[in-house]
Amino acid sequence: MRPLVAAVLLVTICVVAAAPLQRHHKPGRTSGDAVGVLDDDPVGKLKVFVYEMPRKYNKMLVDNDSRCLQHMFAAEIFMHQFLLSSAVRTLDPEAADWFYTPVYTTCDLTPQGFPLPFRAPRMMRSAIRYVAATWPFWNRTDGADHFFLTPHDFGACFHYQEERAVERGILPLLRRATLVQTFGQRNHVCLQDGSITVPPYASPHRLQAHLVGPGTPRSIFVYFRGLFYDMGNDPEGGYYARGARASVWENFKDNPLFDISTEHPATYYEDMQRAIFCLCPLGWAPWSPRLVEAVVFGCIPVIIADDIVLPFADAIPWEDMSVFVAERDVPRLDSILTSIPLPDILRRQRLLARDSVKRALLFHQPARPGDAFHQVLNGLARKLPHGEDVFLQPGEKALDWDAGLESDLKPW
């Protein structure tokens, strides 16, 4: 560890003016640079037909429990509201490129406010059965031109514990559909090809209310608030977060450069804006709202989640504005961060300061150009035109309606 180097960084970052940002080109980005992709306008590139579903699949759930309007899974609700008034919506299903089923599978909550994992797949199956029985469009493709919001911890595997999620796998009826989900991890059974990884919901209004002045010095080197152990499900810390969070605590709880704790103070958001680096380790799943909060508040995300697939990775320059640390390297976290040259820190901070980057990770109400809603639409537009394998031949079936866990086949 090099505390003197870190101290110099802290002082220097507080007084150095940000130089003009140079563009960094990444291979494979659709429009050549991050700004171009983030500013793409999806209007005119696709048309979406929104199914009119019985209220029990969506609005009635919100009426019964409004907590789901504020939790990190709420993108499925706000995406529905956005599409109803979006310029990409078509009322003519024959003209549609995509079909959307508004079903709020994370809005059926336990008393503690968590989505019920055994009810979500039953609800989704019921909704798909209704769509297939009411309109002809599902049966033309077995869902291959349909997209669904599945913002559970492990997406359409519908469980918060990875072992159970892997056991269930992606709901069989969704295996031809495009899944728009917060979960993203390469080579994982809960992420199928063609999925669109999105940020978790973080209330733009709440974040805006906690903004501090632009001249506030960043006097905290490393910041983190959250669990290190899940004492109820994994008291020894070897399974929860694959041991990464436990390693952070064990190695750095007494390190003066690390402001880390399980306590969640009232000044949490303000503290993030006073920090240079914000740790974003995996928990039960690799993603969390902490990543969005760090970007919005200009704190360099330190991403500790091997094989994570980040939101809108084809549009947002994550490699340029974050620090990636392998889970096995957590014990060296102090030396890794203090070794980053000051110009590289300032470059990341200038990228994080861009309004287009912040806006792309937020589901604004009302929607704003380039926000997360528009990034979802751009992701769908980039998948067009549909290939010939999307449409089935008369009488052809690609899905087994009776496949899946026996418990998931029960009526909802």
Side-chain angles (χ1 to χ4, degrees):
M1 181 179 70
R2 287 174 283 179
L4 179 59
V5 174
V8 171
L9 279 175
L10 285 170
V11 173
T12 308
I13 288 171
C14 292
V15 299
V16 172
L21 179 68
Q22 297 178 350
R23 292 186 178 182
H24 291 263
H25 295 271
K26 285 286 180 179
R29 289 231 168 86
T30 308
S31 299
D33 67 86
V35 176
V37 177
L38 290 175
D39 290 341
D40 281 349
D41 185 356
V43 175
K45 298 178 182 177
L46 77 166
K47 294 181 179 180
V48 176
F49 181 78
V50 180
Y51 287 120
E52 184 67 33
M53 300 293 290
R55 294 181 76 255
K56 68 177 183 178
Y57 292 108
N58 42 61
K59 296 177 183 178
M60 189 178 296
L61 292 165
V62 177
D63 291 342
N64 292 339
D65 196 335
S66 62
R67 291 178 297 174
C68 55
L69 287 167
Q70 295 296 326
H71 67 185
M72 60 184 176
F73 312 107
E76 63 182 358
I77 300 171
F78 294 115
M79 191 73 197
H80 180 202
Q81 295 177 0
F82 162 74
L83 285 171
L84 290 177
S85 59
S86 172
V88 306
R89 184 187 182 191
T90 178
L91 300 180
D92 178 9
E94 295 293 347
D97 301 296
W98 291 100
F99 295 83
Y100 168 65
T101 304
V103 51
Y104 302 168
T105 58
T106 65
C107 207
D108 196 357
L109 304 177
T110 67
Q112 294 75 31
F114 301 111
L116 286 162
F118 67 91
R119 291 177 64 88
R122 299 176 192 175
M123 186 192 307
M124 183 64 80
R125 281 179 52 86
S126 174
I128 294 173
R129 282 192 177 278
Y130 179 83
V131 165
T134 307
W135 293 274
F137 309 107
W138 174 274
N139 299 312
R140 297 187 313 188
T141 66
D142 269 359
D145 55 354
H146 288 56
F147 71 94
F148 293 82
L149 270 287
T150 55
H152 280 253
D153 292 83
F154 287 90
C157 290
F158 295 121
H159 210 285
Y160 64 91
Q161 290 182 332
E162 184 172 20
E163 185 177 357
R164 299 289 299 277
V166 169
E167 176 187 4
R168 170 178 279 149
I170 291 173
L171 190 69
L173 290 183
L174 293 175
R175 288 181 179 161
R176 280 176 60 83
T178 289
L179 302 179
V180 180
Q181 61 184 49
T182 43
F183 174 76
Q185 182 174 317
R186 289 184 291 275
N187 305 314
H188 197 285
V189 299
C190 297
L191 181 69
Q192 65 186 17
D193 290 344
S195 298
I196 297 174
T197 307
V198 301
Y201 177 76
S203 169
H205 300 293
R206 186 170 62 208
L207 299 180
Q208 178 74 25
H210 288 271
L211 287 175
V212 300
T216 302
R218 293 192 176 269
S219 54
I220 301 170
F221 192 62
V222 179
Y223 188 75
F224 176 79
R225 291 294 185 272
L227 292 177
F228 298 99
Y229 303 88
D230 186 335
M231 301 305 294
N233 297 295
D234 180 38
E236 296 183 2
Y239 185 64
Y240 175 62
R242 297 196 284 260
R245 292 197 185 201
S247 182
V248 169
W249 179 251
E250 291 161 6
N251 285 281
F252 304 111
K253 61 176 182 274
D254 297 320
N255 189 315
L257 298 179
F258 282 67
D259 188 344
I260 59 176
S261 172
T262 58
E263 297 178 1
H264 202 287
T267 58
Y268 172 69
Y269 287 146
E270 289 80 5
D271 292 343
M272 293 185 86
Q273 295 169 82
R274 297 184 179 97
I276 298 172
F277 297 104
C278 287
L279 301 185
C280 299
L282 74 162
W284 283 113
W287 63 271
S288 82
R290 191 175 288 106
L291 181 65
V292 177
E293 295 161 351
V295 172
V296 169
F297 292 136
C299 186
I300 298 172
V302 181
I303 299 169
I304 307 170
D306 294 354
D307 296 320
I308 189 172
V309 177
L310 290 160
F312 309 131
D314 56 350
I316 294 177
W318 291 108
E319 306 93 338
D320 295 334
M321 67 187 195
S322 308
V323 175
F324 292 83
V325 177
E327 294 165 25
R328 67 176 182 274
D329 291 335
V330 167
R332 299 194 302 110
L333 195 53
D334 55 348
S335 61
I336 290 172
L337 296 180
T338 56
S339 298
I340 299 175
L342 176 59
D344 289 352
I345 291 176
L346 295 175
R347 177 174 54 82
R348 287 177 168 91
Q349 290 178 331
R350 290 193 294 270
L351 267 173
L352 290 168
R354 282 185 164 168
D355 183 63
S356 60
V357 172
K358 301 176 190 295
R359 191 168 61 244
L361 293 174
L362 293 174
F363 295 92
H364 284 283
Q365 299 97 45
R368 299 179 184 178
D371 68 6
F373 296 118
H374 292 86
Q375 301 308 322
V376 172
L377 295 182
N378 280 330
L380 292 169
R382 287 193 281 271
K383 292 168 66 68
L384 296 174
H386 294 301
E388 295 181 0
D389 59 339
V390 164
F391 296 93
L392 303 176
Q393 298 299 317
E396 181 185 4
K397 291 294 178 184
L399 299 176
D400 181 358
W401 284 81
D402 297 320
L405 295 180
E406 183 178 352
S407 60
D408 294 344
L409 303 179
K410 295 180 179 180
W412 174 65

